[in-house]
PDB file of all heavy atoms in Angstrom:
ATOM      1  N   LEU B 296     -38.814-130.864 101.015  1.00  0.00           N
ATOM      2  CA  LEU B 296     -39.162-129.572 101.607  1.00  0.00           C
ATOM      3  C   LEU B 296     -40.676-129.464 101.788  1.00  0.00           C
ATOM      4  O   LEU B 296     -41.164-128.933 102.777  1.00  0.00           O
ATOM      5  CB  LEU B 296     -38.639-128.440 100.719  1.00  0.00           C
ATOM      6  CG  LEU B 296     -38.525-127.077 101.390  1.00  0.00           C
ATOM      7  CD1 LEU B 296     -37.714-127.139 102.661  1.00  0.00           C
ATOM      8  CD2 LEU B 296     -37.917-126.052 100.438  1.00  0.00           C
ATOM      9  N   ARG B 297     -41.401-130.004 100.818  1.00  0.00           N
ATOM     10  CA  ARG B 297     -42.858-129.956 100.936  1.00  0.00           C
ATOM     11  C   ARG B 297     -43.319-130.721 102.172  1.00  0.00           C
ATOM     12  O   ARG B 297     -44.153-130.255 102.929  1.00  0.00           O
ATOM     13  CB  ARG B 297     -43.516-130.571  99.699  1.00  0.00           C
ATOM     14  CG  ARG B 297     -43.351-129.747  98.450  1.00  0.00           C
ATOM     15  CD  ARG B 297     -44.121-130.406  97.308  1.00  0.00           C
ATOM     16  NE  ARG B 297     -44.056-129.594  96.101  1.00  0.00           N
ATOM     17  CZ  ARG B 297     -43.328-129.896  95.030  1.00  0.00           C
ATOM     18  NH1 ARG B 297     -42.605-130.988  95.017  1.00  0.00           N
ATOM     19  NH2 ARG B 297     -43.320-129.103  93.987  1.00  0.00           N
ATOM     20  N   ARG B 315     -31.780-132.727 102.405  1.00  0.00           N
ATOM     21  CA  ARG B 315     -31.524-131.289 102.328  1.00  0.00           C
ATOM     22  C   ARG B 315     -30.660-130.825 103.496  1.00  0.00           C
ATOM     23  O   ARG B 315     -30.828-131.276 104.636  1.00  0.00           O
ATOM     24  CB  ARG B 315     -32.835-130.525 102.326  1.00  0.00           C
ATOM     25  CG  ARG B 315     -33.661-130.735 101.080  1.00  0.00           C
ATOM     26  CD  ARG B 315     -34.878-129.853 101.118  1.00  0.00           C
ATOM     27  NE  ARG B 315     -34.529-128.447 101.195  1.00  0.00           N
ATOM     28  CZ  ARG B 315     -34.280-127.675 100.136  1.00  0.00           C
ATOM     29  NH1 ARG B 315     -34.367-128.164  98.928  1.00  0.00           N
ATOM     30  NH2 ARG B 315     -33.947-126.404 100.284  1.00  0.00           N
ATOM     31  N   CYS B 411     -36.896-114.323  91.054  1.00  0.00           N
ATOM     32  CA  CYS B 411     -37.102-115.766  91.234  1.00  0.00           C
ATOM     33  C   CYS B 411     -36.970-116.517  89.902  1.00  0.00           C
ATOM     34  O   CYS B 411     -36.452-117.633  89.869  1.00  0.00           O
ATOM     35  CB  CYS B 411     -38.478-116.014  91.832  1.00  0.00           C
ATOM     36  SG  CYS B 411     -39.796-115.148  90.965  1.00  0.00           S
ATOM     37  N   VAL B 412     -37.433-115.897  88.839  1.00  0.00           N
ATOM     38  CA  VAL B 412     -37.421-116.576  87.537  1.00  0.00           C
ATOM     39  C   VAL B 412     -35.977-116.906  87.129  1.00  0.00           C
ATOM     40  O   VAL B 412     -35.705-117.964  86.569  1.00  0.00           O
ATOM     41  CB  VAL B 412     -38.083-115.682  86.462  1.00  0.00           C
ATOM     42  CG1 VAL B 412     -38.058-116.353  85.103  1.00  0.00           C
ATOM     43  CG2 VAL B 412     -39.491-115.314  86.869  1.00  0.00           C
ATOM     44  N   ALA B 414     -33.525-117.286  89.232  1.00  0.00           N
ATOM     45  CA  ALA B 414     -32.881-118.177  90.207  1.00  0.00           C
ATOM     46  C   ALA B 414     -33.376-119.607  90.051  1.00  0.00           C
ATOM     47  O   ALA B 414     -32.676-120.549  90.396  1.00  0.00           O
ATOM     48  CB  ALA B 414     -33.188-117.683  91.620  1.00  0.00           C
ATOM     49  N   CYS B 415     -34.576-119.753  89.536  1.00  0.00           N
ATOM     50  CA  CYS B 415     -35.192-121.084  89.454  1.00  0.00           C
ATOM     51  C   CYS B 415     -34.454-121.957  88.448  1.00  0.00           C
ATOM     52  O   CYS B 415     -34.190-121.541  87.325  1.00  0.00           O
ATOM     53  CB  CYS B 415     -36.654-120.928  89.034  1.00  0.00           C
ATOM     54  SG  CYS B 415     -37.458-122.511  88.708  1.00  0.00           S
ATOM     55  N   PRO B 416     -34.120-123.192  88.823  1.00  0.00           N
ATOM     56  CA  PRO B 416     -33.426-124.073  87.880  1.00  0.00           C
ATOM     57  C   PRO B 416     -34.229-124.340  86.614  1.00  0.00           C
ATOM     58  O   PRO B 416     -33.664-124.710  85.585  1.00  0.00           O
ATOM     59  CB  PRO B 416     -33.196-125.358  88.659  1.00  0.00           C
ATOM     60  CG  PRO B 416     -34.027-125.272  89.886  1.00  0.00           C
ATOM     61  CD  PRO B 416     -34.299-123.823  90.137  1.00  0.00           C
ATOM     62  N   HIS B 417     -35.545-124.156  86.694  1.00  0.00           N
ATOM     63  CA  HIS B 417     -36.355-124.350  85.489  1.00  0.00           C
ATOM     64  C   HIS B 417     -36.851-123.029  84.924  1.00  0.00           C
ATOM     65  O   HIS B 417     -37.690-123.031  84.029  1.00  0.00           O
ATOM     66  CB  HIS B 417     -37.561-125.237  85.813  1.00  0.00           C
ATOM     67  CG  HIS B 417     -37.164-126.636  86.141  1.00  0.00           C
ATOM     68  ND1 HIS B 417     -37.486-127.263  87.313  1.00  0.00           N
ATOM     69  CD2 HIS B 417     -36.427-127.525  85.449  1.00  0.00           C
ATOM     70  CE1 HIS B 417     -36.986-128.472  87.331  1.00  0.00           C
ATOM     71  NE2 HIS B 417     -36.323-128.652  86.214  1.00  0.00           N
ATOM     72  N   ASN B 418     -36.370-121.951  85.469  1.00  0.00           N
ATOM     73  CA  ASN B 418     -36.845-120.631  85.052  1.00  0.00           C
ATOM     74  C   ASN B 418     -38.365-120.567  85.041  1.00  0.00           C
ATOM     75  O   ASN B 418     -38.975-120.010  84.118  1.00  0.00           O
ATOM     76  CB  ASN B 418     -36.291-120.247  83.669  1.00  0.00           C
ATOM     77  CG  ASN B 418     -34.779-120.237  83.642  1.00  0.00           C
ATOM     78  OD1 ASN B 418     -34.152-121.204  83.225  1.00  0.00           O
ATOM     79  ND2 ASN B 418     -34.193-119.172  84.125  1.00  0.00           N
ATOM     80  N   LEU B 419     -38.981-121.150  86.042  1.00  0.00           N
ATOM     81  CA  LEU B 419     -40.449-121.136  86.092  1.00  0.00           C
ATOM     82  C   LEU B 419     -40.931-119.704  86.256  1.00  0.00           C
ATOM     83  O   LEU B 419     -40.332-118.918  86.993  1.00  0.00           O
ATOM     84  CB  LEU B 419     -40.949-122.015  87.242  1.00  0.00           C
ATOM     85  CG  LEU B 419     -40.666-123.514  87.082  1.00  0.00           C
ATOM     86  CD1 LEU B 419     -41.078-124.280  88.330  1.00  0.00           C
ATOM     87  CD2 LEU B 419     -41.380-124.073  85.859  1.00  0.00           C
ATOM     88  N   ARG B 420     -42.024-119.385  85.569  1.00  0.00           N
ATOM     89  CA  ARG B 420     -42.501-117.995  85.578  1.00  0.00           C
ATOM     90  C   ARG B 420     -43.399-117.741  86.794  1.00  0.00           C
ATOM     91  O   ARG B 420     -44.611-117.594  86.684  1.00  0.00           O
ATOM     92  CB  ARG B 420     -43.222-117.717  84.264  1.00  0.00           C
ATOM     93  CG  ARG B 420     -42.294-117.692  83.047  1.00  0.00           C
ATOM     94  CD  ARG B 420     -41.250-116.569  83.108  1.00  0.00           C
ATOM     95  NE  ARG B 420     -41.847-115.243  83.254  1.00  0.00           N
ATOM     96  CZ  ARG B 420     -42.268-114.501  82.250  1.00  0.00           C
ATOM     97  NH1 ARG B 420     -42.179-114.933  81.018  1.00  0.00           N
ATOM     98  NH2 ARG B 420     -42.790-113.314  82.470  1.00  0.00           N
ATOM     99  N   ILE B 421     -42.736-117.674  87.933  1.00  0.00           N
ATOM    100  CA  ILE B 421     -43.457-117.443  89.175  1.00  0.00           C
ATOM    101  C   ILE B 421     -44.113-116.066  89.163  1.00  0.00           C
ATOM    102  O   ILE B 421     -45.222-115.880  89.646  1.00  0.00           O
ATOM    103  CB  ILE B 421     -42.483-117.574  90.363  1.00  0.00           C
ATOM    104  CG1 ILE B 421     -41.915-118.993  90.365  1.00  0.00           C
ATOM    105  CG2 ILE B 421     -43.164-117.275  91.685  1.00  0.00           C
ATOM    106  CD1 ILE B 421     -40.558-119.096  90.982  1.00  0.00           C
ATOM    107  N   PHE B 436     -50.131-121.551  88.855  1.00  0.00           N
ATOM    108  CA  PHE B 436     -49.441-122.191  89.983  1.00  0.00           C
ATOM    109  C   PHE B 436     -49.654-123.706  89.967  1.00  0.00           C
ATOM    110  O   PHE B 436     -48.736-124.476  90.215  1.00  0.00           O
ATOM    111  CB  PHE B 436     -49.926-121.626  91.318  1.00  0.00           C
ATOM    112  CG  PHE B 436     -49.126-120.453  91.783  1.00  0.00           C
ATOM    113  CD1 PHE B 436     -49.726-119.252  92.121  1.00  0.00           C
ATOM    114  CD2 PHE B 436     -47.740-120.547  91.890  1.00  0.00           C
ATOM    115  CE1 PHE B 436     -48.970-118.175  92.551  1.00  0.00           C
ATOM    116  CE2 PHE B 436     -46.973-119.478  92.324  1.00  0.00           C
ATOM    117  CZ  PHE B 436     -47.597-118.272  92.653  1.00  0.00           C
ATOM    118  N   LEU B 439     -47.525-125.189  87.357  1.00  0.00           N
ATOM    119  CA  LEU B 439     -46.120-125.061  87.733  1.00  0.00           C
ATOM    120  C   LEU B 439     -45.677-126.093  88.787  1.00  0.00           C
ATOM    121  O   LEU B 439     -44.540-126.540  88.813  1.00  0.00           O
ATOM    122  CB  LEU B 439     -46.046-123.663  88.306  1.00  0.00           C
ATOM    123  CG  LEU B 439     -44.883-122.759  88.276  1.00  0.00           C
ATOM    124  CD1 LEU B 439     -45.333-121.380  87.831  1.00  0.00           C
ATOM    125  CD2 LEU B 439     -44.396-122.646  89.667  1.00  0.00           C
ATOM    126  N   GLU B 440     -46.625-126.493  89.611  1.00  0.00           N
ATOM    127  CA  GLU B 440     -46.306-127.425  90.700  1.00  0.00           C
ATOM    128  C   GLU B 440     -45.714-128.733  90.171  1.00  0.00           C
ATOM    129  O   GLU B 440     -44.809-129.307  90.788  1.00  0.00           O
ATOM    130  CB  GLU B 440     -47.579-127.712  91.515  1.00  0.00           C
ATOM    131  CG  GLU B 440     -47.338-128.398  92.851  1.00  0.00           C
ATOM    132  CD  GLU B 440     -47.341-129.924  92.789  1.00  0.00           C
ATOM    133  OE1 GLU B 440     -47.872-130.496  91.802  1.00  0.00           O
ATOM    134  OE2 GLU B 440     -46.794-130.551  93.698  1.00  0.00           O
ATOM    135  N   SER B 442     -43.695-129.195  87.789  1.00  0.00           N
ATOM    136  CA  SER B 442     -42.287-129.093  87.409  1.00  0.00           C
ATOM    137  C   SER B 442     -41.415-128.590  88.550  1.00  0.00           C
ATOM    138  O   SER B 442     -40.198-128.699  88.500  1.00  0.00           O
ATOM    139  CB  SER B 442     -42.103-128.114  86.249  1.00  0.00           C
ATOM    140  OG  SER B 442     -43.095-128.288  85.301  1.00  0.00           O
ATOM    141  N   CYS B 443     -42.051-127.997  89.561  1.00  0.00           N
ATOM    142  CA  CYS B 443     -41.265-127.407  90.664  1.00  0.00           C
ATOM    143  C   CYS B 443     -40.659-128.525  91.496  1.00  0.00           C
ATOM    144  O   CYS B 443     -41.356-129.449  91.899  1.00  0.00           O
ATOM    145  CB  CYS B 443     -42.179-126.524  91.512  1.00  0.00           C
ATOM    146  SG  CYS B 443     -41.469-126.066  93.099  1.00  0.00           S
ATOM    147  N   ILE B 444     -39.360-128.445  91.742  1.00  0.00           N
ATOM    148  CA  ILE B 444     -38.711-129.497  92.525  1.00  0.00           C
ATOM    149  C   ILE B 444     -38.579-129.081  93.995  1.00  0.00           C
ATOM    150  O   ILE B 444     -37.852-129.714  94.758  1.00  0.00           O
ATOM    151  CB  ILE B 444     -37.329-129.875  91.945  1.00  0.00           C
ATOM    152  CG1 ILE B 444     -36.446-128.635  91.804  1.00  0.00           C
ATOM    153  CG2 ILE B 444     -37.482-130.591  90.614  1.00  0.00           C
ATOM    154  CD1 ILE B 444     -34.991-128.940  91.521  1.00  0.00           C
ATOM    155  N   ALA B 445     -39.248-128.016  94.361  1.00  0.00           N
ATOM    156  CA  ALA B 445     -39.252-127.535  95.745  1.00  0.00           C
ATOM    157  C   ALA B 445     -37.828-127.372  96.282  1.00  0.00           C
ATOM    158  O   ALA B 445     -37.508-127.833  97.369  1.00  0.00           O
ATOM    159  CB  ALA B 445     -40.070-128.464  96.642  1.00  0.00           C
ATOM    160  N   CYS B 446     -36.996-126.715  95.484  1.00  0.00           N
ATOM    161  CA  CYS B 446     -35.599-126.540  95.896  1.00  0.00           C
ATOM    162  C   CYS B 446     -35.425-125.299  96.759  1.00  0.00           C
ATOM    163  O   CYS B 446     -34.457-125.183  97.498  1.00  0.00           O
ATOM    164  CB  CYS B 446     -34.693-126.460  94.676  1.00  0.00           C
ATOM    165  SG  CYS B 446     -34.962-124.970  93.707  1.00  0.00           S
ATOM    166  N   GLY B 447     -36.334-124.350  96.609  1.00  0.00           N
ATOM    167  CA  GLY B 447     -36.278-123.158  97.443  1.00  0.00           C
ATOM    168  C   GLY B 447     -35.326-122.074  96.959  1.00  0.00           C
ATOM    169  O   GLY B 447     -35.133-121.068  97.653  1.00  0.00           O
ATOM    170  N   ARG B 448     -34.734-122.253  95.795  1.00  0.00           N
ATOM    171  CA  ARG B 448     -33.791-121.231  95.316  1.00  0.00           C
ATOM    172  C   ARG B 448     -34.492-119.891  95.091  1.00  0.00           C
ATOM    173  O   ARG B 448     -33.916-118.832  95.329  1.00  0.00           O
ATOM    174  CB  ARG B 448     -33.130-121.709  94.026  1.00  0.00           C
ATOM    175  CG  ARG B 448     -31.648-121.984  94.224  1.00  0.00           C
ATOM    176  CD  ARG B 448     -31.088-122.894  93.190  1.00  0.00           C
ATOM    177  NE  ARG B 448     -31.118-122.351  91.846  1.00  0.00           N
ATOM    178  CZ  ARG B 448     -30.568-122.969  90.794  1.00  0.00           C
ATOM    179  NH1 ARG B 448     -29.938-124.114  90.959  1.00  0.00           N
ATOM    180  NH2 ARG B 448     -30.626-122.454  89.602  1.00  0.00           N
ATOM    181  N   CYS B 449     -35.731-119.959  94.649  1.00  0.00           N
ATOM    182  CA  CYS B 449     -36.497-118.735  94.403  1.00  0.00           C
ATOM    183  C   CYS B 449     -36.621-117.913  95.682  1.00  0.00           C
ATOM    184  O   CYS B 449     -36.473-116.688  95.667  1.00  0.00           O
ATOM    185  CB  CYS B 449     -37.876-119.085  93.851  1.00  0.00           C
ATOM    186  SG  CYS B 449     -38.703-120.408  94.762  1.00  0.00           S
ATOM    187  N   GLU B 450     -36.874-118.585  96.801  1.00  0.00           N
ATOM    188  CA  GLU B 450     -37.066-117.864  98.063  1.00  0.00           C
ATOM    189  C   GLU B 450     -35.787-117.151  98.495  1.00  0.00           C
ATOM    190  O   GLU B 450     -35.820-116.123  99.142  1.00  0.00           O
ATOM    191  CB  GLU B 450     -37.493-118.843  99.161  1.00  0.00           C
ATOM    192  CG  GLU B 450     -38.876-119.407  98.944  1.00  0.00           C
ATOM    193  CD  GLU B 450     -39.309-120.309 100.079  1.00  0.00           C
ATOM    194  OE1 GLU B 450     -38.493-120.588 100.979  1.00  0.00           O
ATOM    195  OE2 GLU B 450     -40.472-120.748 100.056  1.00  0.00           O
ATOM    196  N   ILE B 459     -42.348-118.668  98.631  1.00  0.00           N
ATOM    197  CA  ILE B 459     -42.812-119.100  97.305  1.00  0.00           C
ATOM    198  C   ILE B 459     -43.152-120.596  97.276  1.00  0.00           C
ATOM    199  O   ILE B 459     -44.159-121.004  96.712  1.00  0.00           O
ATOM    200  CB  ILE B 459     -41.748-118.747  96.227  1.00  0.00           C
ATOM    201  CG1 ILE B 459     -41.498-117.240  96.236  1.00  0.00           C
ATOM    202  CG2 ILE B 459     -42.194-119.220  94.851  1.00  0.00           C
ATOM    203  CD1 ILE B 459     -40.334-116.774  95.385  1.00  0.00           C
ATOM    204  N   VAL B 460     -42.298-121.408  97.923  1.00  0.00           N
ATOM    205  CA  VAL B 460     -42.554-122.856  97.917  1.00  0.00           C
ATOM    206  C   VAL B 460     -43.915-123.148  98.557  1.00  0.00           C
ATOM    207  O   VAL B 460     -44.699-123.955  98.055  1.00  0.00           O
ATOM    208  CB  VAL B 460     -41.433-123.601  98.675  1.00  0.00           C
ATOM    209  CG1 VAL B 460     -41.751-125.081  98.802  1.00  0.00           C
ATOM    210  CG2 VAL B 460     -40.096-123.405  97.972  1.00  0.00           C
ATOM    211  N   ILE B 463     -46.759-122.130  96.243  1.00  0.00           N
ATOM    212  CA  ILE B 463     -46.999-123.129  95.187  1.00  0.00           C
ATOM    213  C   ILE B 463     -47.718-124.344  95.771  1.00  0.00           C
ATOM    214  O   ILE B 463     -48.670-124.856  95.209  1.00  0.00           O
ATOM    215  CB  ILE B 463     -45.662-123.562  94.532  1.00  0.00           C
ATOM    216  CG1 ILE B 463     -44.995-122.368  93.846  1.00  0.00           C
ATOM    217  CG2 ILE B 463     -45.883-124.699  93.537  1.00  0.00           C
ATOM    218  CD1 ILE B 463     -43.594-122.646  93.326  1.00  0.00           C
ATOM    219  N   ASN B 513     -34.972-134.817  89.270  1.00  0.00           N
ATOM    220  CA  ASN B 513     -34.759-133.456  88.758  1.00  0.00           C
ATOM    221  C   ASN B 513     -35.222-133.420  87.295  1.00  0.00           C
ATOM    222  O   ASN B 513     -34.426-133.231  86.371  1.00  0.00           O
ATOM    223  CB  ASN B 513     -33.277-133.086  88.879  1.00  0.00           C
ATOM    224  CG  ASN B 513     -33.024-131.614  88.641  1.00  0.00           C
ATOM    225  OD1 ASN B 513     -33.952-130.802  88.658  1.00  0.00           O
ATOM    226  ND2 ASN B 513     -31.771-131.266  88.391  1.00  0.00           N
TER     227      ASN B 513
HETATM  228  S1  LIG S   2     -38.722-124.137  94.531  1.00  0.00           S
HETATM  229 FE1  LIG S   2     -39.724-124.565  92.583  1.00  0.00          FE
HETATM  230  S2  LIG S   2     -40.155-122.533  91.760  1.00  0.00           S
HETATM  231 FE2  LIG S   2     -38.685-122.249  93.405  1.00  0.00          FE
HETATM  232  S3  LIG S   2     -36.697-122.230  92.371  1.00  0.00           S
HETATM  233 FE3  LIG S   2     -37.090-124.338  93.025  1.00  0.00          FE
HETATM  234  S4  LIG S   2     -38.059-125.320  91.276  1.00  0.00           S
HETATM  235 FE4  LIG S   2     -38.186-123.120  90.955  1.00  0.00          FE
END
Side-chain angles (χ1 to χ4, degrees):
Chain B
L296 199 54
R297 290 184 176 107
R315 292 185 60 87
C411 50
V412 179
C415 173
H417 292 123
N418 302 97
L419 294 175
R420 291 297 303 274
I421 299 153
F436 270 126
L439 210 133
E440 193 270 341
S442 318
C443 166
I444 54 168
C446 68
R448 248 159 64 175
C449 46
E450 292 183 354
I459 301 171
V460 174
I463 297 173
N513 192 15

